[in-house]
Amino acid sequence: MGDSKEKPTKPIGVAIVGCGYWGPNLIRNFSACPMTNVVTVCDRDQTRLDRVASLCGKAKLVGDVREAFDNPDVDAVAVATPVGTHATLALEALEAGKHVLIEKPMASAVDDAERLVKRARELGLTLMVDHTFIYSPPVKKIKELIDSGELGDIYYVDSVRINLGLFQSDINVLWDLAPHDISIVEHFFGRLPRSLSATGVSHTASDLEDVAYMNLDFGESLVATFHVNWLSPVKIRHTIIGGSQRSLVYNDLDPVETIKIYDRGIEVESTPETRRGLLVSYRTGDIRSPNLPREEPLQNMVTHFAECIRGGKTRWTDGEAGLRVVRIPEAAQRSIKAQGGRITL
Amino acid sequence: MGDSKEKPTKPIGVAIVGCGYWGPNLIRNFSACPMTNVVTVCDRDQTRLDRVASLCGKAKLVGDVREAFDNPDVDAVAVATPVGTHATLALEALEAGKHVLIEKPMASAVDDAERLVKRARELGLTLMVDHTFIYSPPVKKIKELIDSGELGDIYYVDSVRINLGLFQSDINVLWDLAPHDISIVEHFFGRLPRSLSATGVSHTASDLEDVAYMNLDFGESLVATFHVNWLSPVKIRHTIIGGSQRSLVYNDLDPVETIKIYDRGIEVESTPETRRGLLVSYRTGDIRSPNLPREEPLQNMVTHFAECIRGGKTRWTDGEAGLRVVRIPEAAQRSIKAQGGRITL
Amino acid sequence: MGDSKEKPTKPIGVAIVGCGYWGPNLIRNFSACPMTNVVTVCDRDQTRLDRVASLCGKAKLVGDVREAFDNPDVDAVAVATPVGTHATLALEALEAGKHVLIEKPMASAVDDAERLVKRARELGLTLMVDHTFIYSPPVKKIKELIDSGELGDIYYVDSVRINLGLFQSDINVLWDLAPHDISIVEHFFGRLPRSLSATGVSHTASDLEDVAYMNLDFGESLVATFHVNWLSPVKIRHTIIGGSQRSLVYNDLDPVETIKIYDRGIEVESTPETRRGLLVSYRTGDIRSPNLPREEPLQNMVTHFAECIRGGKTRWTDGEAGLRVVRIPEAAQRSIKAQGGRITL
Amino acid sequence: MGDSKEKPTKPIGVAIVGCGYWGPNLIRNFSACPMTNVVTVCDRDQTRLDRVASLCGKAKLVGDVREAFDNPDVDAVAVATPVGTHATLALEALEAGKHVLIEKPMASAVDDAERLVKRARELGLTLMVDHTFIYSPPVKKIKELIDSGELGDIYYVDSVRINLGLFQSDINVLWDLAPHDISIVEHFFGRLPRSLSATGVSHTASDLEDVAYMNLDFGESLVATFHVNWLSPVKIRHTIIGGSQRSLVYNDLDPVETIKIYDRGIEVESTPETRRGLLVSYRTGDIRSPNLPREEPLQNMVTHFAECIRGGKTRWTDGEAGLRVVRIPEAAQRSIKAQGGRITL
């Protein structure tokens, strides 16, 4: 009884590993979260540690991850290192009995991701991937609308994520931009597509695609198509979700009407007597833009991670989800090489 | 000499065959054009003839096309009948020595279109297809910009043509909407893509696709991708043309800034010494929306037809163009059946 | 009993006087309305009569209005002549026992409008002014929202009606454009403002104002302000209606979301203890764009006129309303001359 | 010679007085500017000094302004205290021989502002007001366009600055929002309007206006009109500048096309023979949105202040400008009380 009272009050001890671009955001948000406490911050580069020192409060700054993994006050490890090191570090942390949060993408290869999922399950530890978008107010709202059945059956998702983009030197536009859309549709439908095809073109000597399209087939007439592009003169972040009852437009660049729900669609007649040409009629209704709360997605994410460790039942962006997200770009890459040939997953 | 003087003053005698949905527009525009004179209007259905009578001035209204084809005052025939009859009627008109304009699509099969092109060439007659869009001010302006080199090398065309659409009872969304985009890119580049792939889904018992994507590969890193959709809650007519010098957005629903030219892009370094990651830099400049003349596309089209007959050298939307446009949806249909497999043209 | 049966079936006989710009629209719409029958069409100019002949069916075309006024089959007269002749013709028609519809503005002077209203009342005849806007779906919807109390108390109306405009040779921008807004707010609130002030500037030798602002004070903290402008590079038709419960934006150029209702506002605390600075809090909620029916405003107007004659109780844009609308620009003109000095109405 | 070489290298010593809302921004920007050096930071509240300590580098933190004014290393004083104390502090600083920068508004009364301008002139010191907007890329660009004559004669300025606003407890919406527009037009035209009128309404018990309009008459048919509003459901920051050659729209909420220049307008015929109705014709041309540099307005401002001290000839937002800006809301307040009566300045 005393125990059950004590537990909730003691915050989860967190070690942040990696203080590059994203690490400081994690430090800040784990520090601000009442359920967690930053115990250790780790980076092999002392300069980086110095730079984040003012954010770290009473946390211990260390150069060797073993100090974090061996520390009994550390309950959970957040891995924010370069993607090539994700798998090794996460596995070590799991073996040391720590819950693990990994920056996206979870791993650079499907094999590695599978190994992590398996090991976390065996050890009964929480494994989560930081797909931050999932914790943003518009995506949360859309998930709600889909799950409540308000949109009816989902017919298609069409997403355009384009701009005059930062060319990456080692990944193409598809690995750069599509994971956002992949994790979002993975979150909406909770399953892998049956197959996919992708096309892409490169306009530089690097041979990395800078314009690409991906088509995911989820079966039952549900498709998701993504256009990603580093060569667009205009910035667009526009997703349409067509449903049998209502449809929805999610424009991430519109701060006021980020989501619009259209009460319109087609009515398909079921009587076999009806002539084919008359099977379809139209319905138009109101357009509604729901008010969205002003929440920090990253704060939502670290809180969710803490709740999962505490035994919360809903588990978003867990290892299985992260694994599914890694499978897609790998397969898409193969499809591009095969000139758009369909890859079964 | 007197002859050469007289000829230009005598207008071209035109017979319009078919008075359904589009026929009256042709009657009106051929009547308004100073270079042409509507001599005969033909439809097998007397009710239709009665309905257009007030538009026809002194033209003879007839029920049998032979009266048009045998009439020596008829120099040219405009065929605006159902697509299944295009080939037969157009061929008869050619054999009767008439110049021919056909409503789009030119024919329902590639074979038929090929036969027409061949016969018109042999007989030295003008054969043209009414791809009206080509004669609209924004498309004319874009053609100019591409041809002048102002955009540089074209990298890609991305077109979205979606709305809550009129379901057709015998053709899918791709045959319904994509021909507009196909004729436009055919006009811009004057050649067929090397290959294409297409995907599509149906959400009604009709099995006709209502959401479809098509990807045309023109070689040399130039691709054109079209999204056509009858199930979109929003109406979009939006084309992006990415170029090495400038890029362009054509929004057919914006009556004020229909075309915007973006003086921005990437600069690719050519020195082999530069590290790969630094090969690309960005350039941003002004955005310009050129003022477009207020012209009637259909009036432009009939005038162009008359000029072609008179021996004008530029020949837009001629038989060859029409044939190319027919090849694409036929191949796309095969690709959809092959689950998006690439079709070489 | 037989009488009550007969009456509804016999349509109201209408004479249209004046076949210039607007007359043909009235002929078409009175002809299409099942409650009315066009009996006579009148214009002193035979050319105009010839031009509209095909629209007139079995109506008698006459050059002299007396033929219309003396005809016992004519129950109602629609006056669509130049504004300077409105008062005389409408009065004659009333004296002949006819119901009268007048094109806007009702008259060029307040005196004339007053005389018409008085005479129609004495004779028990229907007098109506064609403020077409009032019969348009968005304005009807807004009227409904205001009357139902959904917006709460109305705080202000702000309307911007500007474009690169057709300069008129004898009226300024205020007489040209503001009557639309005046008739709309008159319709919403059903009363005159207590006072107004107006400012305007002319940039041509004509001395007619081409940029003007008008501020109407309805008392009880309700104001309506209009910006009208012939020199704007952009066309704007944008009205904001601020209410204590909800606010509304009416954008007449947006065919899809013409009206948006914002469930947001301020909450004013009533407890006297609260410090003044804390009296106000904010509320933000959903935005809703109601689906509007596709109706022809002019058809709605002629039907309403017929219903008024038949004894319908709701009476929109009647003589009193028309009179109120004429008072405003006359007073505004005086305010402009007085450099914006406030005019009490 | 040695002197002239030395001077530019020694940075101007600055004391910042007041560390509330805006003070930290000044500390940061004066620290970042190569021409200036923050010598002293002053606030009577030790807590505030503690809070900004990390920003202050080697600057001395003091509680008494005398320490700043008596310090010979301090060349210039930036006053960022509550408006009621501006005049006294600025005057003391001037008397101590320091150049002075004051937060806007310069003073709460015209008398005070006049005294400061007079004294600075007598002492040969630089006096500047921080109207930050003037240093923003879009406003700088517009100033350039006006000065170059590209727009021709300016006909009118119309600005809408509305949103669901933070109600202030001691100033109305006009004092809160209009100073931005006032300083902008003051900057564009470099002179006071001849007269103004203003109207406003309050919807709370505070009697502070929450919706207001102001009309400034600059003579020669140039007017500037501002709509400011705390009760608008939508946020708008939209300024139209109509010119005889070109017109311009400045939409501060559009990050991509913040300024659009419209090459359109009217052509007024000068021949006296022409009928009045035909005096005006229309011209429509391209729309151009110039690329704007990404600059920090506040950094531009502190650099300009330093350059003015160094003897730079262009002097933006100097004491005279600040004084002119203070005159307007004071007069507007009087006009509102006089029910919109025109106030001559």
Side-chain angles (χ1 to χ4, degrees):
Chain A
M1 221 172 117
D3 220 53
S4 75
K5 247 187 167 171
E6 215 172 337
K7 259 183 187 161
T9 56
K10 195 184 158 228
I12 296 161
V14 177
I16 280 104
V17 178
C19 297
Y21 170 64
W22 200 246
N25 294 331
L26 292 175
I27 297 171
R28 248 191 303 264
N29 277 280
F30 274 115
S31 299
C33 176
M35 297 179 72
T36 59
N37 184 27
V38 179
V39 173
T40 305
V41 171
C42 176
D43 200 298
R44 283 193 299 195
D45 183 341
Q46 184 61 38
T47 330
R48 282 181 174 164
L49 285 179
D50 292 345
R51 218 183 301 138
V52 299
S54 66
L55 300 169
C56 293
K58 283 178 284 186
K60 208 171 153 193
L61 279 64
V62 303
D64 184 347
V65 288
R66 290 301 337 163
E67 285 194 56
F69 296 167
D70 294 344
N71 185 342
D73 291 340
V74 169
D75 303 303
V77 171
V79 179
T81 56
V83 64
T85 67
H86 282 185
T88 313
L89 286 167
L91 200 61
E92 265 188 81
L94 289 171
E95 299 296 352
K98 313 300 188 193
H99 304 287
V100 171
L101 173 78
I102 316 181
E103 269 321 291
K104 72 174 150 60
M106 187 184 186
S108 51
V110 169
D111 283 357
D112 288 338
E114 279 174 337
R115 198 169 309 124
L116 291 174
V117 169
K118 183 166 169 283
R119 203 63 191 120
R121 197 184 299 127
E122 288 166 358
L123 295 166
L125 293 166
T126 291
L127 174 65
M128 216 174 100
V129 185
D130 177 13
H131 293 303
T132 320
F133 247 113
I134 304 308
Y135 301 91
S136 70
V139 172
K140 284 170 68 180
K141 183 71 188 180
I142 298 171
K143 172 71 171 164
E144 240 177 80
L145 290 164
I146 291 175
D147 288 353
S148 72
E150 200 173 320
L151 304 182
D153 297 330
I154 304 304
Y155 285 161
Y156 67 89
V157 175
D158 178 85
S159 180
V160 178
R161 189 176 295 273
I162 67 180
N163 53 276
L164 196 62
L166 278 176
F167 273 69
Q168 308 279 331
S169 59
D170 45 5
I171 58 169
N172 64 11
V173 70
L174 202 141
W175 274 95
D176 182 35
L177 296 180
H180 295 302
D181 296 303
I182 297 168
S183 66
I184 289 171
V185 300
E186 195 283 329
H187 181 61
F188 289 161
F189 306 126
R191 57 184 163 111
L192 270 179
R194 295 187 316 185
S195 67
L196 64 77
S197 75
T199 55
V201 214
S202 168
H203 300 91
T204 63
S206 75
D207 281 338
L208 291 169
E209 287 80 7
D210 41 43
V211 176
Y213 296 84
M214 193 194 291
N215 181 274
L216 308 180
D217 182 357
F218 287 85
E220 293 164 33
S221 291
L222 170 57
V223 288
T225 311
F226 309 143
H227 173 201
V228 287
N229 191 325
W230 281 334
L231 284 182
S232 171
V234 281
K235 183 173 184 177
I236 302 181
R237 299 278 179 272
H238 191 269
T239 303
I240 308 175
I241 301 181
S244 60
Q245 294 300 316
R246 285 185 188 77
S247 293
L248 180 151
V249 170
Y250 162 33
N251 180 356
D252 205 44
L253 300 185
D254 184 336
V256 179
E257 301 181 59
T258 314
I259 294 177
K260 288 188 190 179
I261 303 161
Y262 293 78
D263 188 9
R264 54 179 66 168
I266 56 163
E267 308 277 348
V268 182
E269 308 281 336
S270 49
T271 49
E273 299 82 18
T274 338
R275 287 197 326 109
R276 205 172 52 150
L278 298 175
L279 280 169
V280 174
S281 64
Y282 302 90
R283 188 173 42 79
T284 61
D286 293 358
I287 303 170
R288 186 168 62 86
S289 177
N291 189 37
L292 299 175
R294 298 187 178 277
E295 294 171 2
E296 181 62 42
L298 204 49
Q299 185 56 229
N300 287 344
M301 191 277 294
V302 303
T303 304
H304 185 69
F305 180 53
E307 286 167 353
C308 286
I309 291 173
R310 288 281 186 237
K313 282 195 182 138
T314 317
R315 292 175 162 265
W316 288 358
T317 68
D318 61 7
E320 278 82 359
L323 168 59
R324 286 193 291 267
V325 171
V326 171
R327 282 189 203 281
I328 306 290
E330 201 181 271
Q333 199 67 53
R334 293 209 307 276
S335 177
I336 289 179
K337 297 304 170 208
Q339 296 207 29
R342 187 153 293 267
I343 306 290
T344 303
L345 289 161
Chain B
M1 222 173 115
D3 220 53
S4 75
K5 247 186 167 171
E6 214 171 336
K7 259 182 186 163
T9 56
K10 194 182 161 229
I12 296 162
V14 178
I16 280 104
V17 177
C19 297
Y21 170 64
W22 201 246
N25 294 331
L26 291 175
I27 297 170
R28 248 191 303 263
N29 278 280
F30 274 115
S31 300
C33 176
M35 297 178 72
T36 58
N37 184 29
V38 179
V39 172
T40 305
V41 172
C42 175
D43 200 298
R44 284 193 299 197
D45 182 342
Q46 183 62 36
T47 330
R48 282 181 174 165
L49 285 180
D50 292 345
R51 217 182 303 138
V52 299
S54 65
L55 300 170
C56 293
K58 283 178 285 185
K60 207 172 156 193
L61 278 64
V62 303
D64 185 346
V65 288
R66 291 303 334 166
E67 286 194 56
F69 296 166
D70 293 345
N71 185 343
D73 290 340
V74 169
D75 303 301
V77 171
V79 178
T81 56
V83 63
T85 65
H86 283 185
T88 313
L89 286 168
L91 200 61
E92 265 189 80
L94 289 171
E95 299 297 352
K98 312 300 187 193
H99 304 286
V100 172
L101 173 77
I102 314 181
E103 269 321 290
K104 72 172 150 60
M106 187 185 186
S108 51
V110 169
D111 282 359
D112 288 338
E114 279 173 338
R115 197 170 309 124
L116 292 174
V117 169
K118 183 166 170 282
R119 204 62 191 120
R121 196 183 302 125
E122 288 165 357
L123 297 165
L125 293 166
T126 290
L127 173 65
M128 215 174 100
V129 184
D130 177 13
H131 293 302
T132 321
F133 247 112
I134 303 308
Y135 300 90
S136 70
V139 171
K140 284 169 68 179
K141 182 72 188 179
I142 297 171
K143 172 70 172 164
E144 240 177 79
L145 290 164
I146 291 175
D147 288 354
S148 73
E150 200 174 321
L151 304 181
D153 297 329
I154 304 304
Y155 284 162
Y156 67 91
V157 175
D158 178 86
S159 180
V160 178
R161 188 176 295 273
I162 67 182
N163 54 275
L164 196 61
L166 278 176
F167 274 68
Q168 308 278 331
S169 59
D170 47 6
I171 58 167
N172 64 11
V173 69
L174 203 140
W175 275 96
D176 182 35
L177 297 180
H180 295 302
D181 296 302
I182 297 168
S183 67
I184 289 171
V185 300
E186 194 282 330
H187 180 62
F188 289 162
F189 306 126
R191 57 184 163 109
L192 269 180
R194 295 186 316 184
S195 67
L196 64 77
S197 74
T199 55
V201 215
S202 167
H203 299 91
T204 64
S206 75
D207 282 337
L208 291 170
E209 288 78 7
D210 41 43
V211 177
Y213 296 85
M214 192 194 292
N215 181 275
L216 308 180
D217 183 358
F218 286 85
E220 294 166 33
S221 291
L222 170 57
V223 289
T225 311
F226 309 144
H227 173 201
V228 288
N229 191 325
W230 279 335
L231 284 181
S232 171
V234 281
K235 182 173 184 177
I236 301 181
R237 298 278 179 273
H238 191 268
T239 302
I240 309 175
I241 301 181
S244 60
Q245 293 302 315
R246 287 185 188 77
S247 293
L248 179 150
V249 170
Y250 162 32
N251 181 356
D252 204 43
L253 301 185
D254 185 335
V256 180
E257 301 181 59
T258 314
I259 293 177
K260 288 187 189 179
I261 303 161
Y262 293 77
D263 187 9
R264 53 179 66 169
I266 57 164
E267 306 277 348
V268 182
E269 307 281 337
S270 49
T271 49
E273 300 80 20
T274 338
R275 287 197 324 110
R276 206 171 51 151
L278 298 175
L279 280 168
V280 174
S281 64
Y282 303 90
R283 190 172 41 80
T284 60
D286 293 358
I287 303 169
R288 186 168 61 88
S289 178
N291 190 38
L292 300 175
R294 300 188 177 276
E295 293 171 2
E296 181 62 42
L298 203 50
Q299 185 56 229
N300 287 343
M301 192 277 293
V302 304
T303 304
H304 184 69
F305 180 54
E307 287 167 352
C308 286
I309 291 172
R310 288 280 185 238
K313 279 190 185 142
T314 318
R315 294 177 160 262
W316 287 359
T317 68
D318 60 9
E320 278 81 0
L323 167 60
R324 287 193 292 268
V325 172
V326 171
R327 283 189 202 280
I328 306 290
E330 200 180 273
Q333 198 68 51
R334 293 208 309 274
S335 178
I336 289 179
K337 298 300 171 212
Q339 296 208 29
R342 188 154 292 269
I343 306 290
T344 303
L345 290 160
Chain C
M1 220 175 116
D3 219 53
S4 75
K5 246 187 167 169
E6 213 172 337
K7 260 182 187 164
T9 54
K10 193 183 161 230
I12 296 161
V14 177
I16 280 104
V17 177
C19 297
Y21 170 65
W22 200 247
N25 294 331
L26 291 175
I27 297 171
R28 248 192 302 265
N29 277 280
F30 274 115
S31 300
C33 176
M35 296 179 71
T36 58
N37 183 29
V38 179
V39 173
T40 305
V41 172
C42 175
D43 201 297
R44 285 192 298 196
D45 183 342
Q46 184 62 36
T47 329
R48 281 180 175 165
L49 285 179
D50 293 346
R51 218 184 300 139
V52 300
S54 65
L55 299 170
C56 293
K58 283 178 284 186
K60 206 170 155 195
L61 278 65
V62 304
D64 184 346
V65 287
R66 290 302 337 163
E67 285 194 55
F69 296 166
D70 294 343
N71 185 343
D73 291 339
V74 169
D75 303 300
V77 171
V79 178
T81 55
V83 63
T85 65
H86 283 185
T88 314
L89 285 168
L91 200 62
E92 265 188 82
L94 288 171
E95 299 297 351
K98 314 300 187 192
H99 304 285
V100 172
L101 173 78
I102 314 181
E103 268 322 288
K104 72 174 149 60
M106 186 183 186
S108 51
V110 169
D111 282 359
D112 289 338
E114 279 174 338
R115 198 170 307 125
L116 291 175
V117 168
K118 181 165 171 283
R119 203 62 191 120
R121 196 183 302 126
E122 288 165 358
L123 296 165
L125 292 166
T126 291
L127 173 65
M128 216 174 99
V129 184
D130 177 12
H131 294 303
T132 320
F133 247 112
I134 304 307
Y135 301 90
S136 70
V139 172
K140 283 169 68 181
K141 183 72 188 178
I142 297 172
K143 172 70 171 163
E144 239 177 81
L145 290 164
I146 291 175
D147 288 353
S148 73
E150 200 173 320
L151 304 182
D153 296 330
I154 303 304
Y155 284 162
Y156 67 89
V157 175
D158 179 86
S159 180
V160 178
R161 189 176 295 274
I162 67 181
N163 53 275
L164 196 61
L166 278 177
F167 274 69
Q168 308 280 331
S169 60
D170 46 7
I171 58 167
N172 64 11
V173 69
L174 203 140
W175 275 95
D176 181 35
L177 296 180
H180 295 302
D181 296 303
I182 297 168
S183 67
I184 290 171
V185 300
E186 194 283 329
H187 180 61
F188 289 161
F189 306 126
R191 57 185 162 109
L192 269 180
R194 295 187 313 185
S195 67
L196 63 76
S197 74
T199 54
V201 215
S202 167
H203 299 91
T204 63
S206 74
D207 281 337
L208 291 169
E209 288 78 10
D210 41 43
V211 176
Y213 296 84
M214 192 195 293
N215 180 273
L216 308 180
D217 182 357
F218 286 85
E220 294 165 33
S221 291
L222 170 56
V223 289
T225 311
F226 309 145
H227 173 201
V228 287
N229 191 325
W230 281 334
L231 284 181
S232 171
V234 281
K235 183 173 183 177
I236 301 182
R237 298 278 179 273
H238 190 268
T239 303
I240 309 176
I241 301 181
S244 60
Q245 293 301 315
R246 286 185 188 77
S247 292
L248 179 150
V249 170
Y250 162 32
N251 181 354
D252 205 43
L253 300 185
D254 185 336
V256 179
E257 302 181 60
T258 314
I259 293 177
K260 289 187 189 180
I261 304 161
Y262 293 78
D263 187 9
R264 54 179 65 170
I266 56 163
E267 306 278 349
V268 182
E269 308 281 336
S270 49
T271 48
E273 300 81 19
T274 338
R275 288 198 324 109
R276 205 173 51 152
L278 298 174
L279 281 169
V280 174
S281 65
Y282 302 90
R283 190 173 41 80
T284 61
D286 293 358
I287 303 169
R288 185 168 62 86
S289 177
N291 189 38
L292 300 175
R294 298 188 177 276
E295 294 170 2
E296 181 62 43
L298 204 49
Q299 185 55 229
N300 288 342
M301 191 277 293
V302 303
T303 304
H304 184 71
F305 180 54
E307 286 166 354
C308 286
I309 291 172
R310 288 283 185 235
K313 279 190 186 145
T314 317
R315 292 175 160 263
W316 288 358
T317 68
D318 60 8
E320 278 81 359
L323 167 59
R324 286 193 292 268
V325 171
V326 171
R327 283 189 202 281
I328 306 289
E330 199 179 273
Q333 199 67 50
R334 292 209 308 277
S335 178
I336 290 178
K337 297 301 169 212
Q339 295 208 28
R342 186 153 293 269
I343 307 289
T344 303
L345 290 160
Chain D
M1 222 173 115
D3 221 53
S4 75
K5 247 187 166 171
E6 216 172 334
K7 258 181 187 162
T9 56
K10 195 184 159 229
I12 295 161
V14 177
I16 280 105
V17 178
C19 297
Y21 170 64
W22 200 247
N25 294 331
L26 291 176
I27 297 172
R28 248 191 303 265
N29 277 281
F30 274 114
S31 300
C33 175
M35 295 179 72
T36 59
N37 183 30
V38 179
V39 172
T40 304
V41 171
C42 176
D43 201 297
R44 284 193 299 196
D45 183 342
Q46 184 61 38
T47 329
R48 282 181 173 164
L49 285 179
D50 292 346
R51 218 183 301 138
V52 301
S54 65
L55 299 171
C56 293
K58 283 179 284 186
K60 207 172 155 193
L61 280 63
V62 303
D64 185 348
V65 288
R66 290 302 336 164
E67 285 194 57
F69 296 167
D70 294 344
N71 185 343
D73 291 341
V74 169
D75 303 302
V77 171
V79 179
T81 56
V83 63
T85 66
H86 283 184
T88 313
L89 285 168
L91 200 61
E92 265 188 81
L94 288 171
E95 300 296 352
K98 314 300 187 193
H99 304 287
V100 172
L101 174 77
I102 315 182
E103 269 320 291
K104 70 175 153 61
M106 187 184 187
S108 50
V110 169
D111 282 358
D112 289 338
E114 279 173 338
R115 197 170 308 124
L116 291 175
V117 168
K118 182 166 169 281
R119 203 61 192 122
R121 196 183 301 125
E122 288 165 358
L123 296 165
L125 293 166
T126 291
L127 173 65
M128 215 175 101
V129 184
D130 176 14
H131 294 304
T132 321
F133 247 111
I134 303 308
Y135 301 91
S136 70
V139 172
K140 284 169 67 181
K141 183 72 188 180
I142 297 170
K143 172 70 171 164
E144 240 177 79
L145 290 164
I146 291 175
D147 287 353
S148 72
E150 200 173 321
L151 305 182
D153 296 330
I154 304 304
Y155 284 162
Y156 67 89
V157 175
D158 177 86
S159 180
V160 179
R161 189 176 295 274
I162 67 181
N163 54 275
L164 196 61
L166 278 175
F167 273 69
Q168 309 278 332
S169 59
D170 46 5
I171 57 167
N172 64 11
V173 69
L174 202 141
W175 274 95
D176 182 35
L177 296 180
H180 295 303
D181 296 303
I182 296 168
S183 67
I184 289 171
V185 299
E186 193 283 328
H187 181 61
F188 289 161
F189 306 125
R191 57 183 161 112
L192 270 180
R194 295 187 314 184
S195 67
L196 63 77
S197 73
T199 55
V201 214
S202 167
H203 299 91
T204 64
S206 75
D207 281 337
L208 291 169
E209 288 79 8
D210 41 43
V211 177
Y213 296 84
M214 193 194 291
N215 181 274
L216 308 180
D217 182 357
F218 287 85
E220 292 165 33
S221 292
L222 169 57
V223 289
T225 310
F226 308 144
H227 173 202
V228 288
N229 191 325
W230 280 335
L231 284 181
S232 171
V234 281
K235 184 173 183 176
I236 301 181
R237 298 278 179 274
H238 190 269
T239 303
I240 308 175
I241 301 180
S244 60
Q245 293 301 314
R246 288 186 187 77
S247 293
L248 179 151
V249 171
Y250 162 32
N251 180 356
D252 205 43
L253 300 185
D254 185 335
V256 179
E257 301 180 61
T258 314
I259 293 177
K260 289 187 189 179
I261 303 161
Y262 294 78
D263 188 10
R264 55 179 66 170
I266 56 163
E267 307 277 348
V268 183
E269 307 281 338
S270 49
T271 49
E273 300 81 19
T274 337
R275 284 199 325 109
R276 204 172 53 150
L278 297 174
L279 280 170
V280 174
S281 64
Y282 302 91
R283 189 172 42 79
T284 61
D286 293 358
I287 303 169
R288 185 168 63 87
S289 177
N291 190 38
L292 300 174
R294 299 189 178 276
E295 294 171 1
E296 180 62 41
L298 204 49
Q299 185 56 228
N300 287 344
M301 192 276 293
V302 303
T303 303
H304 185 70
F305 180 53
E307 286 167 353
C308 285
I309 291 172
R310 288 282 186 236
K313 282 195 185 137
T314 317
R315 293 175 161 264
W316 288 358
T317 69
D318 59 9
E320 277 81 0
L323 167 59
R324 286 193 293 266
V325 171
V326 170
R327 283 189 203 281
I328 307 289
E330 201 181 272
Q333 199 68 51
R334 292 209 308 277
S335 177
I336 289 179
K337 296 304 168 209
Q339 295 208 29
R342 187 154 292 268
I343 307 289
T344 303
L345 290 161

